[in-house]
Amino acid sequence: MALSGSKVTFMLLATFAITIPCLEAGIAEFDQFLKVRSEEAHEIAMESYVPDPENVTSDLNTHVHLALDAALEEESNITRRELKEKYNGPCIATNPIDRCWRCKKNWAKKRFRLAKCRKGFGRMTTGGVDGKIYVVTDPSDDDMTDPKPGTIRYGVIQEEPLWIIFAHSMVIRLSQELLVTSNKTIDGRGANVIFQEGAGITLQFVSNVIVHGIRMKKIKSMAGGMIRDSVNHFGLRTRSDGDAISIYGSSNIWIDHISLSDCEDGLIDVILGSTAITISNCHMTKHNDVMLFGASESHTVDKIMQITVAFNHFGQGLIQRMPRCRWGFFHVLNNDYTHWQMYAIGGSSGPTILSQGNRFIAPNNDAAKLITHRDYATPEVWSKWQWRSENDLFMNGAKFIESGTPIGKLPFNKGFLMKPRHGSQANRLTKFAGALNCKVGKPC
């Protein structure tokens, strides 16, 4: 189980102070501005850390159950053939995040409502809800230190909260990594927004960011250079890794309804003491190293890492790391794993992994039936790691090897007595994963 909050705080503050100045994390010159920003980000992360994470997992389980009950009643009026084919019928939202906003035709007039729909460890994220709407009108990305108004880069560096939307469909090729400041929402609803053939999105030493409704593919490693990360600061960056979304030392982050595929490095990487994160409703395809949570055995600051991975579809062409975890607590809930080539869930350094209500369909390769993969430890060591499976569905010979003691009874109160949905429902809960084709004036 997790250490007590006071012990973790003392240990990690000391570790963070020693470790952070030594880590590049894309920073070539770690100046005073970045030092202050990293310290502030870590304070917010520690405030967001939950000493008893089971309270968060149980709350999410309850909402999943309620949402799917309502969705199943609605589906009873739709033919089975319509559900199997590409769906063009009335809006059906099958999980609690989507039911909060997606089938309301006035979503475009009430975009900020989305911020009330977050669940899991990223449940406190509000993004740019307290700010103005900023409209991206220009897909270009030509100036890294003095970006033009109307571009995505100009919007994400502003100090005040902003809800960033897009005037029309566009393809954005980022010349260098996009460094996003705190209190921002990137909301692609109502347009087909594709980030491709350029750098990815970086959340470094920030908090309270929502990324929703965009597509990211063929993201590349870029050379680095002088890049502005706020209106008051720019600095020299090293070569970027080629991740679609990189989260460094950040907290209260929600990644939702993103379509991701075929990037040079990872699709979503979370490292360096990041916590309070939810990754939900995403569709991931055609990639090797899908998600990395914790980059090094030496980064014990990642003991505070708490991430919810829920309602995602892990689809065609994926190989491994869905996710690959170190140190922290990871709730993997009601995802649909229809493809992997090596393994689905892996880890090292004693992470706690609670897998609930997922559907795992193993590949036909007899050597790759195992869902779980453990690194850098003997069976005597990893047998103590808490990796537990509850209500998962195993198909085509898929096998989850549990370890460690049970995580414990989830602390349901009266009215919170329902169990998480079984993995047989995962395909319904993830049916609309990925970027949605939302049209103004109609339900998404």
Side-chain angles (χ1 to χ4, degrees), residues 300-313:
T300 54
V301 67
D302 286 334
K303 286 181 183 290
I304 66 167
M305 191 175 286
Q306 296 174 331
I307 301 177
T308 298
V309 179
F311 319 130
N312 302 287
H313 180 198

Side-chain angles (χ1 to χ4, degrees), residues 382-401:
W382 64 250
S383 64
K384 298 180 177 63
W385 300 351
Q386 290 178 295
W387 292 26
R388 311 302 298 182
S389 169
E390 299 176 4
N391 292 314
D392 289 327
L393 175 64
F394 306 113
M395 300 178 66
N396 201 34
K399 185 176 181 181
F400 188 112
I401 295 183

Side-chain angles (χ1 to χ4, degrees), residues 126-305:
T126 56
V129 76
D130 293 326
K132 298 178 181 179
I133 288 180
Y134 171 89
V135 182
V136 177
T137 57
D138 183 349
S140 68
D141 188 41
D142 302 326
D143 196 326
M144 302 301 100
T145 58
D146 189 19
K148 291 185 294 185
T151 62
I152 182 71
R153 193 171 295 276
Y154 182 90
V156 299
I157 64 170
Q158 302 305 309
E159 288 298 305
E160 69 270 22
L162 288 178
W163 197 280
I164 299 170
I165 66 174
F166 299 83
H168 49 77
S169 297
M170 60 183 69
V171 176
I172 298 175
R173 180 190 178 277
L174 294 172
S175 299
Q176 299 289 352
E177 58 184 323
L178 187 71
L179 298 166
V180 181
T181 57
S182 297
N183 306 308
K184 299 294 182 293
T185 298
I186 299 174
D187 179 2
R189 290 176 296 174
N192 183 18
V193 180
I194 305 173
F195 290 78
Q196 71 176 37
E197 302 287 351
I201 296 172
T202 298
L203 312 180
Q204 187 170 63
F205 306 143
V206 298
S207 65
N208 203 34
V209 175
I210 298 171
V211 183
H212 177 96
I214 62 174
R215 293 172 170 85
M216 303 188 74
K217 59 184 180 180
K218 297 185 183 299
I219 300 303
K220 299 178 179 179
S221 173
M222 304 301 278
M226 300 302 292
I227 305 175
R228 185 169 293 279
D229 53 29
S230 75
V231 293
N232 300 316
H233 180 265
F234 62 86
L236 184 62
R237 304 285 299 183
T238 61
R239 189 174 189 88
S240 61
D241 289 336
D243 299 323
I245 299 175
S246 299
I247 303 172
Y248 299 81
S250 298
S251 59
N252 296 305
I253 307 296
W254 181 24
I255 310 297
D256 187 55
H257 274 296
I258 310 297
S259 296
L260 302 126
S261 67
D262 196 17
C263 298
E264 192 167 322
D265 194 6
L267 295 183
I268 301 176
D269 279 11
V270 184
I271 68 168
L272 252 169
S274 298
T275 194
I277 295 166
T278 294
I279 299 168
S280 57
N281 291 306
C282 294
H283 185 208
M284 306 181 198
T285 58
K286 299 178 183 178
H287 198 77
N288 183 1
D289 299 329
V290 180
M291 294 191 295
L292 175 66
F293 298 162
S296 173
E297 315 304 301
S298 64
H299 296 175
T300 54
V301 67
D302 286 334
K303 286 181 183 290
I304 66 167
M305 191 175 286

Side-chain angles (χ1 to χ4, degrees), residues 64 68 72 75 94-95 98 281-282 309-314 332-338 355-361 390-395 420-433:
V64 171
L68 192 52
L72 290 172
E75 283 185 6
T94 56
N95 66 60
D98 280 2
N281 291 306
C282 294
V309 179
F311 319 130
N312 302 287
H313 180 198
F314 296 98
V332 184
L333 175 76
N334 283 135
N335 302 281
D336 198 11
Y337 291 83
T338 58
S355 173
Q356 291 186 309
N358 301 289
R359 181 172 75 159
F360 297 102
I361 304 177
E390 299 176 4
N391 292 314
D392 289 327
L393 175 64
F394 306 113
M395 300 178 66
R421 281 294 179 177
H422 190 268
S424 59
Q425 303 297 325
N427 61 328
R428 280 193 169 95
L429 289 161
T430 63
K431 182 173 180 59
F432 301 100

